[in-house]
Amino acid sequence: RQWARNGVNGAHRHYSWHSHVQKYMRALHKAWGKRHRHRRLRAKSRLPTVDRIVVCELDNTLLGDPDALHRLLASLKAADGHVGLGVATGRSLDSALKLLRDWKVPTPDLLVTSVGAEIHYGHRMVRDQAWAGHIAYRWDRNALHEALRVMPGLKLQPKAEQHAFKISYFMDEKKAPRVRDIIRHLRLKDLHATVIQSRGMFLDVLPSRASKGLALRHLGMRWGLTPERFLVAGYSGNDEAVLRGNTLGVVVGNYSSELGRLRGRPRIYFAQAEYAWGIMEGVDYYDFFGAIRIPEEEGLEHDGDVAGISA
C-alpha cells in the first residue's frame, strides 16, 4: 500500500500537467535571466495577436493621397495593436515592397502579391509554402502560355510582372476576345485557370485555386479569423474576387468602372472619398475598430448609394 501511495504521489508531483508547466516555466525564467536579461527581441509576426485586419490594394487605394495615408496609418497605430495591416495587390513582391518604401509605409503584417499567387508574412517576408502547394493543383503554365499565344489583342507584360503561378498580359479590348471566350478556349483544351481582367487593359491568368479572395480565405483559416474580421479595400477589377467574399468590402471613390456591378451587395460599401480617405470612410461605416457592425443581408442600401454616387 505504501509503495502504491508513493507511486500515485510521485506521478502527481512529477508527471501532472501542473507540475510540468511549473518546471517548464522555471527553466524558461532561468534561461531568460542568464541570456536575455538586457536584450529585446522583435516579434517575427504580429498576426497571432491581432483580432482583425485591414487589407488594401496598393495602387490608387492605400496609396495616392499622402495626407490620407498618414491619417490611416496613425489610426492603425492608435488601435492598441489588435488591428493588423495587410496588402493584396497585383504587383510582384519586389515591386510592392519598393512602392511601400517609396511611400514610407511600415512593412505590413501580410502581403498577398501577384493577384493572389503568393502570400508573405512580417518583416522577414516569410513565404507561405502551404499556399504555394495548394494552388499548384492542375496548373500547367507552359501549356496555358502556348494556348493563349494564338489569341489576338494579348501581349505579354515584361518579365518582372510574370510569376511561376501567374501569366500577365496587356489587353487590347478592341482586338481581344471577351474573357468568357478566353475561358471557353482554355476549357476546350482541358486547361484549368482563373482569368482576371482589370482596368480594361490588363489580363492575368492564375491557377484555378488562386485569387486574392481565396488567399484571404486561406489566411482566415490559418490564423483563426472569420471573414467579418477582414476589412478589404480595392478599386479595380482584380479586387473583385476579394470583395465578393463574406469579408467587409470597401470600394474607394476613385474606383474603376468594372466594379460598378458590385453595387447593392450588403457587404460592399461604395465610399464617396478617394484613396485612403475612402478606406477610413469604410472603417467608420463598419465600426471596424470598434464593435464591428455587419450589414444585414437584405433591405440595406449603402450610404454611398443613397448619396447618389454614379457608377
Side-chain angles (χ1 to χ4, degrees), residues 47 101 113 121 123 147 199 203 216 219 222 235 237 274:
L47 288 176
R101 286 193 298 268
T113 55
Y121 303 112
H123 292 276
R199 296 169 61 184
L203 190 81
L216 280 200
L219 287 165
R222 176 157 191 175
Y235 89 105
E274 300 181 348

Side-chain angles (χ1 to χ4, degrees), residues 3-299:
W3 291 344
R5 283 195 295 270
N6 291 346
V8 171
N9 292 334
H12 282 296
R13 185 164 61 253
H14 298 291
Y15 300 111
S16 69
W17 178 245
H18 179 71
S19 67
H20 168 74
V21 171
Q22 285 186 321
K23 288 181 181 179
Y24 181 77
M25 294 304 295
R26 282 197 297 269
L28 268 185
H29 285 302
K30 184 177 179 181
W32 185 265
K34 286 182 178 180
R35 301 182 184 183
H36 305 286
R37 184 167 297 170
H38 303 294
R39 184 181 177 191
R40 295 183 64 186
L41 300 178
R42 184 171 66 180
K44 294 180 181 179
S45 173
R46 293 194 317 128
L47 288 176
T49 62
V50 302
D51 65 7
R52 65 199 71 186
I53 304 177
V54 176
V55 182
C56 311
E57 170 62 89
L58 280 181
D59 299 277
N60 299 311
T61 307
L62 180 65
L63 308 179
D65 186 314
D67 293 335
L69 174 63
H70 177 75
R71 185 73 62 83
L72 176 61
L73 292 177
S75 298
L76 286 166
K77 188 176 181 180
D80 297 328
H82 72 101
V83 182
L85 174 63
V87 163
T89 178
R91 288 177 176 265
S92 66
L93 178 65
D94 290 341
S95 175
L97 290 175
K98 181 180 183 303
L99 193 61
L100 288 167
R101 286 193 298 268
D102 291 344
W103 282 77
K104 296 180 174 56
V105 179
T107 304
D109 299 298
L110 64 90
L111 274 89
V112 177
T113 55
S114 298
V115 204
E118 275 193 328
I119 301 174
H120 289 83
Y121 303 112
H123 292 276
R124 298 182 183 180
M125 287 294 104
V126 177
R127 187 184 181 194
D128 190 324
Q129 297 292 349
W131 177 245
H134 175 71
I135 67 175
Y137 175 74
R138 303 198 74 172
W139 170 249
D140 191 337
R141 192 183 195 283
N142 292 334
L144 286 161
H145 175 59
E146 287 299 315
L148 292 171
R149 286 180 64 180
V150 302
M151 288 285 175
L154 297 183
K155 179 183 177 182
L156 277 174
Q157 293 182 28
K159 187 177 180 180
E161 297 304 321
Q162 307 301 331
H163 186 276
F165 291 115
K166 179 172 77 78
I167 313 173
S168 294
Y169 297 89
F170 295 113
M171 183 178 187
D172 185 340
E173 282 192 309
K174 295 180 180 179
K175 298 179 181 179
R178 296 176 302 175
V179 171
R180 67 180 63 180
D181 294 326
I182 294 174
I183 294 172
R184 186 180 298 112
H185 171 71
L186 296 177
R187 285 178 178 169
L188 289 173
K189 293 181 175 293
D190 195 29
L191 294 172
H192 301 263
T194 297
V195 181
I196 300 173
Q197 182 185 13
S198 61
R199 296 169 61 184
M201 64 179 76
F202 301 120
L203 190 81
D204 294 305
V205 181
L206 303 160
S208 57
R209 290 182 173 184
S211 71
K212 291 181 185 179
L214 293 173
L216 280 200
R217 186 181 299 177
H218 169 84
L219 287 165
M221 290 188 291
R222 176 157 191 175
W223 297 101
L225 296 173
T226 58
E228 296 82 6
R229 295 280 166 173
F230 289 92
L231 183 141
V232 182
Y235 89 105
S236 75
N238 71 30
D239 299 311
E240 183 172 351
V242 71
L243 289 165
R244 280 181 177 274
N246 289 328
T247 55
L248 303 179
V250 179
V251 178
V252 295
N254 53 299
Y255 68 93
S256 185
S257 61
E258 60 258 24
L259 290 185
R261 57 178 170 261
L262 299 182
R263 282 187 175 276
R265 291 175 175 265
R267 293 195 183 190
I268 300 179
Y269 174 72
F270 278 76
Q272 290 181 305
E274 300 181 348
Y275 306 109
W277 295 119
I279 300 172
M280 287 187 289
E281 186 180 324
V283 167
D284 291 339
Y285 175 77
Y286 293 114
D287 189 20
F288 193 70
F289 290 175
I292 302 183
R293 187 180 71 85
I294 303 172
E296 297 294 332
E297 292 297 326
E298 298 179 358

